[in-house]
Amino acid sequence: MQMNPNKDTQLCMSLSGRPGNFGLRFHNHLYEQLGLNFYYKAFSSQDLTGAVGGIRALGIRGCGVSMPFKEACIALVDELDASAAAIQSINTIVNTGGHLKAYNTDYIAVAQLLESHAVPKDSTFALRGSGGMAKAVASALRDGGYPNGLIVARNERAGRALADSLGYRWQAELGDERPQMLINVTPVGMDGGPEAGQLAFEPEVIKAAETVFDVVAIPSETPLIVRARAEGKRVITGLEVIAIQALEQFVLYTGVRPNEAQFAAAVDFARS
């Protein structure tokens, strides 16, 4: 990528347990196409306090926050936007003159996707997971008018707390439930992880569903999504989530909103 950095170049970054290339390629592509003097770099760190302190001290403009840092970062910022405060989970930090404000663009992305895919609001659903991203997804469902939900999480404390906070049920396992919408918000099926290549739900559960939503973005076609497509289900992919949330981060960092063609080109470039 053609870059001409100088002393005025603004740096944006991401913090993730497993850094990937999508955000880096997406943001840098748009910076170049739109003539913005920015550069984006992906990082991981074992010193979260030091990393967030560095954002403030070095004047880094923005930071995307991924698993497992979405809740731990809350205590390290100065202000929470309503999108993050409501669910106590962040995925974006914006630095304005040393003041760190946190947002949750995952929530925004999920809300948009439920609407654009026309998922019926009376659908029963089971959401597997109980971490920061699960909070964002479950909150978007609750706020979007989906009342018939089940949180499936082996961690009883976290699972019950999430379910109780949103008015949903909790179970450690799905059991005999056959919900109309399945949502995976765990690392099952993620490339490079211990459960890569595995299904987040059993084949018979997928067969009984109408909508399948996998938040895992790498690979873009997870085992769950591949099986759901083969069964003719409505699918929502993690790639769609990561693309929309990255777009909203881009707008927060730069104040510029790309048009649809520029957005689509950036997604294609980031995937290539």
Side-chain angles (χ1 to χ4, degrees):
M1 179 177 292
Q2 184 69 35
M3 298 295 298
N4 296 293
N6 55 50
K7 65 181 179 62
D8 297 317
T9 300
Q10 294 191 72
L11 180 64
C12 292
M13 59 177 281
S14 63
L15 277 173
S16 173
R18 295 178 185 167
N21 286 321
F22 183 93
L24 183 152
R25 292 174 63 82
F26 178 91
H27 286 273
N28 284 328
H29 179 81
L30 284 173
Y31 298 154
E32 182 179 22
Q33 294 305 304
L34 297 174
L36 301 176
N37 192 12
F38 280 75
Y39 185 72
Y40 191 101
K41 179 72 173 69
F43 293 96
S44 188
S45 178
Q46 299 299 313
D47 180 4
L48 186 60
T49 300
V52 176
I55 294 169
R56 191 194 310 273
L58 297 174
I60 293 169
R61 171 57 177 165
C63 178
V65 180
S66 297
M67 295 187 294
F69 305 127
K70 293 186 177 188
E71 294 164 311
C73 275
I74 290 175
L76 304 175
V77 301
D78 302 308
E79 182 182 356
L80 295 181
D81 178 72
S83 62
I87 59 179
Q88 290 297 295
S89 176
I90 73 176
N91 80 326
T92 305
I93 299 171
V94 177
N95 180 6
T96 304
H99 180 86
L100 304 185
K101 184 173 180 178
Y103 300 77
N104 196 305
T105 64
D106 290 328
Y107 173 98
I108 296 168
V110 172
Q112 288 184 22
L113 287 166
L114 291 168
E115 187 72 23
S116 65
H117 284 275
V119 180
K121 294 185 184 296
D122 61 355
S123 297
T124 58
F125 73 83
L127 183 152
R128 187 180 294 278
S130 60
M133 185 64 180
K135 287 183 180 180
V137 176
S139 296
L141 285 158
R142 189 273 313 273
D143 295 346
Y146 294 83
N148 304 311
L150 170 66
I151 304 300
V152 179
R154 294 177 184 174
N155 183 325
E156 181 174 357
R157 181 189 60 80
R160 280 191 184 277
L162 177 58
D164 290 347
S165 69
L166 297 172
Y168 294 136
R169 296 181 295 127
W170 165 83
Q171 291 177 188
E173 300 291 347
L174 188 60
D176 294 331
E177 302 272 352
R178 294 295 181 267
Q180 294 164 304
M181 176 162 53
L182 303 173
I183 308 160
N184 177 46
V185 198
T186 75
V188 176
M190 181 184 293
D191 272 357
E195 298 170 292
Q198 296 185 26
L199 286 170
F201 295 94
E202 295 299 319
E204 61 270 22
V205 177
I206 300 169
K207 188 176 184 65
E210 297 172 2
T211 303
V212 175
F213 182 0
D214 196 346
V215 175
V216 172
I218 303 173
S220 57
E221 293 289 308
T222 63
L224 178 58
I225 292 297
V226 170
R227 176 61 68 96
R229 287 197 196 280
E231 295 282 358
K233 308 303 179 182
R234 176 193 293 111
V235 300
I236 305 174
T237 70
L239 175 63
E240 294 174 273
V241 176
I242 198 174
I244 294 173
Q245 68 83 23
L247 173 65
E248 298 302 327
Q249 288 177 331
F250 181 92
V251 175
L252 287 169
Y253 300 156
T254 68
V256 177
R257 181 171 292 277
N259 62 37
E260 286 296 325
Q262 291 165 336
F263 171 55
V267 173
D268 287 343
F269 180 81
R271 292 184 64 191
S272 64

